[in-house]
Amino acid sequence: MTATQARSAGASRDDALVTVTGLRVDAGPDRLVHPLDLTIRAGERVGLIGESGSGKTLTALSLIGLLPDELRHGGTVALRDSSDDLLNAPERELCGLRGRRISMVFQEPMTALNPLMQVGKQVSEVLTQHRTLPNRREVRERVLGLLESVRLPDPERLLRAYPHQLSGGQRQRIMLAMAFANDPDLLICDEPTTALDVTVQRQVLDLLDEAVRSRGTSLLFVSHDLAVVARTCDRVLVMQHGRVVESGSVTDVLTAPRHDYTKQLLAASRLEPTAGGARRGAGSPPETGSGAGAGAPTGSEGPAGTERPAGAAELSEAAEPLIRVSGLHRTHRSRRRTVHALKNVDLQVRAGDRIGIVGESGSGKTTLLKILAGLDRPTSGSVSVCGVDVARASKRSMRRLREQLQTVFQDPMGSLDPRMTVREIVEEPLIGHSGARSGRERRELTARSLESVGIPASAAERYPHQFSGGQRQRISIARALVTDPDVLVADEPVSALDVSVQAQVLALLNRLVDERGLTLLMVSHDLAVVRHLCDRIVVMRHGEVVEAGPAERVYGAPEDDYTRALLEATPSLDRVLAEKPSRGGTGDRPPQP
Amino acid sequence: MSGTNAAAAGGPAGPDRPPARGVGLLRMLPVTGKIGLVVVAGIVVVALVSLVWTPYDPLQAVPEDRLSGSTLQHPLGTDRYGRDVLSILMAGAQITLLVGCVAVAIAAVVGTPLGILAGMRRGWAEELITRGADMMLAFPALLLAIMAGAVMGASTWSAMIAIGLAAGPGFARVARAGTLRVMSSDFILAARGASQPETRIARRHVLPNIFDLVVIQASVTFALAILAEAALSFLGLGTPPPEPSWGRMLQGGQDYLAVAPHLTVWPGLAIALAVLGFNLLGDGLRDVLDPKTRGRR
Amino acid sequence: RAGHTAIADPAESTAGSVTLALAGGPASLDFTRTDGVAIPLVLMGNVYEGLVRINESGGLDPLLAEDWTVSDDRRTYTFTLRQGVAFSNGAPFDAESAVFSIERVRSDAWTNGLSAGMDVVASVTAEDTHVLRVELSEPSNRWLWSMGTLIGAMMTEDGVDELATAPVGTGPFTVDRWARGQSLRFAANKDYWGEPAASDSVTVQYYADATASTNALQAGDVDAVYDMQSPELATVLERDDDLVIETGATSGTVLLSMNNRVAPFDDLRVRQAVMYAVDRQAVIDTAWGGFGDDSGGAPAPPTDPWYVESSRYPHDPQAARELLREAGQEDLHITFKVPTRPYAQQISEIVASQLRDVGIVAAIESVEFPALWLDEVFTRHDYQMSVIVHAEARDIPVLYGNPDYYLGYDDERTRELLARADRESPQTQTELMRAAVDRIVDQAASDTLFVFPNIVVRRRGLQGLPSRRPTDELLLSAVTNRGDPSQEDQAQEDGS
Amino acid sequence: MIRAVGGRVLRFVLTLFATSVLVFAFMRILPGDPAEVVLGTGATEEALERTRAEFGLDRPLAEQYWDWVSGIPVGDFGVSFITGEDISPVVLDRLAVSLILVVSAMALALLVAVPLGTWAAVRHRRADGIAISAATQFGIAVPNFLAGMLLVAVFALGLGWLPANSWMPPAYDPVQFVLHLILPVVALAAVQAAVMTRYVRTAMLDVMGEDWMRTARAKGLSTFQALRRHGLRNAALPVLTVSGIQLTTLVIGAVVIEQVFVIPGIGSELLTAVAGRDLLTVQSVVMLLALITLTVNFTVDLLYLVLDPRTAVQR
Ligand SMILES: Nc1ncnc2c1ncn2[C@@H]1O[C@H](COP(=O)(O)OP(=O)(O)OP(=O)(O)O)[C@@H](O)[C@H]1O
Ligand SMILES: Nc1ncnc2c1ncn2[C@@H]1O[C@H](COP(=O)(O)OP(=O)(O)OP(=O)(O)O)[C@@H](O)[C@H]1O
Ligand SMILES: [Mg+2]
Ligand SMILES: [Mg+2]
């Protein structure tokens, strides 16, 4: 049924720029992409969404004829005025099209540029390759113009810079400049902003949006982020397991999804209003369900909270803090430079608090958590966790501390030793545990912990690779809980997971924290996730705490400029959809028959 | 629903890699790797058989029969002393394997822990070990063999020790690189977070995870050791007579290249085959085990 | 000077020049301080000359001494020296230089062990400019003979500063170019007193590897291989019509040495069992391509006047086994220390195999040569069995007349025979030596496996290269490439 | 940059120092007496004593070490026990021979390996690419001295096209120099080419899998153009490192080839010097080799600084 839908969408073939018919991709006996039809008209912006591994990248690559050699493909891809069959066109013909009529921007800006070549050369190469401009001076002029058009500062200097001297956002701008160099008819973007910080992501998306609109370029935009797609595209295709399961105009698909998978995606990406609200009750001061019965954070709602300078994050004033950080500095000294990972951080956490830490990449979030967990030592300042002075603790008290404070890491694969069985992994914190236990006891505890996260004890002898990403993260959580800790520290616990899986893991965390009355410290770059789970927010930037306070306040009335920028940059599907009809020229697309 | 489909969860280039071991590993070997395995297994079998049976006594000189070509009695001919080449070749497999095993064992036992130490400790320990490894490279196997031969008398042992010591830095490097990669994994942080002592981390986490690399290195080093032993024996610094050794057979055959080429051809082939076998096996293992090259074929 | 060989080293092969391949080159040209036959082999007779020369049959010919007389008590020698002879640096040769040369051998300047041969000299004086008188402390036949070897080399006082690189002598050649370990080029001495050299220059190219030297010969890079060390190749080379193979006896004997002082070889029966067990001809055939003379186990080479082939020990494994049984050594394990030299390694394999036949298990142990072999076997006598070539001519008194020698052969009767042979008249010397040799063989002091052959392979056009070598001297003065190949006698090929 | 270079120089010097101590110590535990070797059979004890004293072997170890090591910076390695000559000119000369041999072999090997390895990488799934890989496997498996023996048998003895062995200094006869060089160089290079082809292939495959290669192709470059303009330089870095290591191991590894072809290189010098217990010469040769190894590594490091703009930051 999908096929027919897509075909009818491109009914008016005359203005079709790209026509994909029956495209399929196989790796040996496995079908990676099932026969797929797609038409992109001139100036049309098409989004492609779906979970990881659903075949988005492969589809995108086949449109530019860059499918990996080892994969077999079928069907045709026709480009107006050029080729009836891009997939089987000779290399020479393809070379003439790539970079001239079709351009592509890839996901990972860190590796998409040749590290040994000055970026100026890499941009000008697109021009010289297609002999678009008569002489070198004009090429140079044009490159400078391009760099300016993507708002790169000091283009003259950047010409001679090497990729490693640029930030991720800057590199992605270079990629965009490259893509637009020859004013292509079709631009393919494969998750171009996923690797970037939210604020940077926003800038790059704006840039892309503007460039595409102003030039009338057709766009195929691959993303897993619904809000981003909604913002940029007119039409959207949803993929799952290599099939297009739904397609139609953005407004239709995202407001009235028909396929289950799309519904799931939508539900998952609407974390913030639903879950966050449900737990605390709309707008009212949160009564955390923590069994520890820690003081409600009402105190900080008052004027005292607002008057406090942003650096000192004193969150709750009632009981004696469980974690007390003051004047914390952590500097990394290498031969070349000194990095201030943390600068003068003050923080107090009381039992039962749920603290969310947000901030851009490199702002020191992980460093802070590591120091709290005793995995790193502060350069100066005092840190006391559960009454233990982390900077000066003996091995024994450190061990006790670590039993009370456990960590869940970002990457569910990387944090599980692939050579150990799940039982061995979960059991590890018990080995050498202060209340040394017998093997039998350990096994029991392990089984119980696994069950509490929904992994059957019968799976304990399997290896991590035999589990899905979500299951692995559950195992990781089981390991953290096996010592029955008081504090759970989580470093981006769901950012490596697909949106649909994310929701489940978050729900699990939520339940466990509630049930066990844990104190939670969670780092995430995703404001929605943090808002969903936490009642207090700490915003960090460049190693400093720029703002801290109850979630409602920080989200509702951010005091710091950076916090504001962060909130604004975070794409929100509902906001985008609300604005959608007012945007130019998209409403006229006929809905699906 | 929670992604029970394991393939969906990992992503294309992810570290979603089963710890291939045992039979599963054999099945995953590419064809070339399997060929290598068969060759290696063949050599092992020949060496084992030669312990209990060879067509003739490989040490028994029969001057009357000397330098015969291939005959029914002597399928691969006889050498200058009238000894059966096939028998010597079979018995020579023992030395070849012995040298390989002991040299690789020495190199692995010396190199791997140092590499792990360097990777885990960083700082001055790392500097000292990497510098030491660099320095060892200035003492190649040959030089060490000359020295060892002079100190202990040229023997199979001196050759093995020399080759083993010279191959040590290779293991240290591989182990260090692997350790650095492992140490950056979150599961090490998790283990530290669980207050596991460093020795246990080295034993339970680092070693099993770099073990594949060590195995690959061992296979390749084995091949190098065979070549090195051949070269040393050729120079008279390896296995002394009359112990059958392929390298010494080559040296002895050199003078007869024109009259009795079989004295060069057979041991030459044997060496080449053994080296080929171990290299193919090593490459095959790398294909299966080394995450860096995975998905290349 | 050991010049800059990497960049420039003329190893010329112009007309009138000859290139010879020799095994293993010396590290230095100074035989007064460095041991080994490699140096005297090419320098004696070519650059240096003695008062007398040892001829092909082992007798003495006059050289720088035209004539000499011996006193009745056979202790005073008076030499009449040749007139008009000059060293290559222009210094004249006279009695003074002869005195200088002989005195120098007796001084600390000579560290070579062979200088002991001069110990018997009591005094040496120049009677006249060309008359030299030498007094011995006791009569010695060997002394005069040894004046024909390196210790009799005549040198001049102003030519001994650079012996290691620029030797000065009175011979038909001078050292033109010396690339240490690689090559040595001689140029004909224009002012030579006698018959001038047949070639303008002769280059000796050194090859550590035997195969490499015959390869070079076949590829036409050298004109002859002298003292070829890979006799197996002879069969191949024989097929080449352009090449001629000749062999001659040398003074070198391949000795299977047994440490007479330690068990089990302190037992005569065990030593004799070894003599019976080893099939010397099979050793010659397998280890040395069938070249070499079997002396029947006797230590004297055919170049000595007292050479007689012994028939005392035929190959008889049964006799060997019986002797072993008598000695109670039926299950005998010994270590066999073999120097790291190809010939020794090859011999050891066949000998070990033959010993196994009679129940002696010989564990072969490679011993680095020379350093370790000299240290362990020769100096410290820490061995049971070994095998080595004794290249020195007429070394029987050294080997068997001294119980402290590494063989540890301690026999009163042998010593007495040897002493008398040296002391008594040259006529009785031969008989006494024969008796001594007989005694040594009977006592199975060591087994002379074979007399080392000098295998010479040359291009048909090359002539004047002697193959028989009674002492360490390779005379190059007659060597020339100018011979006409067509006139060569085919029969010469056979050599033996 | 200056600090980076400075640090490397310091490490370089320290490593050399450690090496010198090690080498010296090694030499002193070698059994065997240099005096015995020089004087040979029949030497008297006094003569031995005198010779030992002459060699300075009776002095305290520290003094001997200092004497030797203090001369190294000015290129004075002392006097050979055996020849009585200055060591440095002889050893440097031998080293030059080995370097000529090894560097030409390496150059030849790279000349073959770079195109072949690239080809094998580009076509790694096709029959020809697989054939090249297979051929390299066989190439690696053949001991280089066996290759040398066979080359001599065919081209010198069989066909008579080339001299079988020995060395011809270039200044004397450039033509003969080249002719004499061909077989040993080919013997060394054949095996080396196989090794290097594999390294190049691996490096190329690595590079081909990089994102920026895909970027290059997305710009409209053909596979070949992308490889030439972007791939080669990136692949050059690992190949360079490996070449550096190979070069140094080749210098000593060539000793067998030097033996087969009777080439007066550093390897055979080392063998004779050890056999003759010419301790000072051995020490000096090993020191020189260490110097070369470390210098090559050092140079490769510096080349990285030039070739790879990232090094300046990362290392
Ligand atoms: N070269 C290849 N060989 C074999 N399988 C491949 C190859 N490239 C991709 N695949 C598989 O094809 C499927 C689709 O991959 P694709 O990269 O298109 O997914 P995606 O939707 O882009 O996922 P993501 O969001 O993680 O980027 C995945 O299961 C992947 O493992
Ligand atoms: N071991 C280290 N050596 C040097 N610098 C380091 C080290 N660890 C962290 N840093 C630096 O410290 C700063 C803070 O790092 P941290 O990992 O805490 O950031 P983060 O907020 O967790 O970022 P992300 O969101 O990317 O994980 C960064 O600039 C980082 O480069
Ligand atoms: Mg993708
Ligand atoms: Mg982080």
Side-chain angles (χ1 to χ4, degrees), chain B residues 45-63:
Chain B
V45 168
V46 166
L48 289 179
V49 168
S50 75
L51 284 175
V52 291
W53 176 83
T54 49
Y56 294 85
D57 179 350
L59 299 184
Q60 184 60 55
V62 186

Side-chain angles (χ1 to χ4, degrees), chain A residues 361-367 410 491-492 523:
Chain A
S361 179
S363 57
K365 307 182 295 282
T366 300
T367 309
Q410 165 175 7
D491 191 357
E492 311 246 15
V523 161

Side-chain angles (χ1 to χ4, degrees), chain A residues 25-28 30-33 48-61 67-71 107 190-191 222-224 239 241-242 498, chain B residues 7-13 295 297, chain D residues 125 214:
Chain A
V25 181
D26 299 296
D30 304 324
R31 177 140 295 182
L32 303 177
V33 176
L48 190 55
I49 55 177
E51 66 187 353
S52 179
S54 57
K56 306 184 296 288
T57 297
L58 292 181
T59 307
L61 285 177
L67 274 178
D69 295 342
E70 66 266 30
L71 300 181
Q107 168 171 5
D190 187 3
E191 316 219 18
V222 176
S223 177
H224 62 266
M239 287 188 82
H241 302 325
D498 269 332
Chain B
R297 290 173 197 223
Chain D
R125 244 177 273 281
R214 199 172 53 179

Side-chain angles (χ1 to χ4, degrees), chain A residues 396 399-400 403 429-437:
Chain A
R396 275 217 12 252
R399 160 167 281 283
R400 219 166 341 108
E403 280 157 18
L430 294 174
I431 291 170
H433 189 273
S434 48
R437 293 183 172 86

Side-chain angles (χ1 to χ4, degrees), chain A residues 52 70 241 264 370 375 398-399 402 409-411 413-420 424 428-429 431 463 465 467-469 471-472 474 479 498 504, chain B residues 1-6 8-11 15-21 185-187 189-196 200 204-205 208-209 212 295:
Chain A
S52 179
E70 66 266 30
H241 302 325
Q264 238 181 66
K370 276 193 190 170
L375 293 171
M398 195 61 112
R399 160 167 281 283
R402 283 175 181 153
F409 296 92
Q410 165 175 7
D411 180 0
M413 193 65 211
S415 63
L416 304 180
D417 187 335
R419 298 283 176 210
M420 279 185 165
E424 288 172 316
E428 192 167 46
I431 291 170
Y463 287 91
H465 74 272
F467 294 88
S468 72
Q471 285 173 321
R472 285 181 210 148
R474 285 161 190 263
R479 169 177 56 190
D498 269 332
Q504 295 159 9
Chain B
M1 197 72 291
S2 63
T4 35
N5 175 6
D16 191 12
R17 188 162 55 87
R21 288 277 156 87
S185 315
D186 280 347
F187 64 79
L189 272 185
R192 293 212 161 130
S195 296
Q196 300 302 311
R200 192 185 131 91
R204 292 285 288 145
H205 293 285
N209 278 292
D212 293 347

Side-chain angles (χ1 to χ4, degrees), chain A residues 15-141:
Chain A
D15 64 343
L17 177 70
V18 182
T19 317
V20 178
T21 335
L23 170 72
R24 58 175 199 277
V25 181
D26 299 296
D30 304 324
R31 177 140 295 182
L32 303 177
V33 176
H34 292 265
L36 170 152
D37 294 345
L38 164 69
T39 312
I40 302 175
R41 299 205 225 171
E44 189 182 22
R45 297 179 297 277
V46 179
L48 190 55
I49 55 177
E51 66 187 353
S52 179
S54 57
K56 306 184 296 288
T57 297
L58 292 181
T59 307
L61 285 177
S62 47
L63 261 60
I64 195 172
L66 280 178
L67 274 178
D69 295 342
E70 66 266 30
L71 300 181
R72 281 178 301 110
H73 52 73
T76 59
V77 176
L79 180 68
R80 193 180 66 196
D81 306 334
S82 278
S83 169
D84 288 339
D85 190 1
L86 277 182
L87 285 175
N88 297 308
E91 164 109 357
R92 270 192 48 213
E93 191 183 335
L94 282 174
C95 288
L97 296 175
R98 290 183 200 135
R100 195 169 61 85
R101 293 203 58 202
I102 313 176
S103 291
M104 185 154 178
V105 177
F106 300 97
Q107 168 171 5
E108 187 46 76
M110 303 317 253
T111 55
L113 290 169
N114 182 349
L116 302 191
M117 199 187 252
Q118 295 169 349
V119 294
K121 275 211 188 112
Q122 300 196 48
V123 176
S124 61
E125 197 178 24
V126 199
L127 297 165
T128 49
Q129 176 68 17
H130 296 285
R131 300 205 182 78
T132 335
L133 292 169
N135 58 45
R136 284 178 52 192
R137 224 198 55 236
E138 275 188 52
V139 168
R140 198 186 132 85
E141 290 299 309

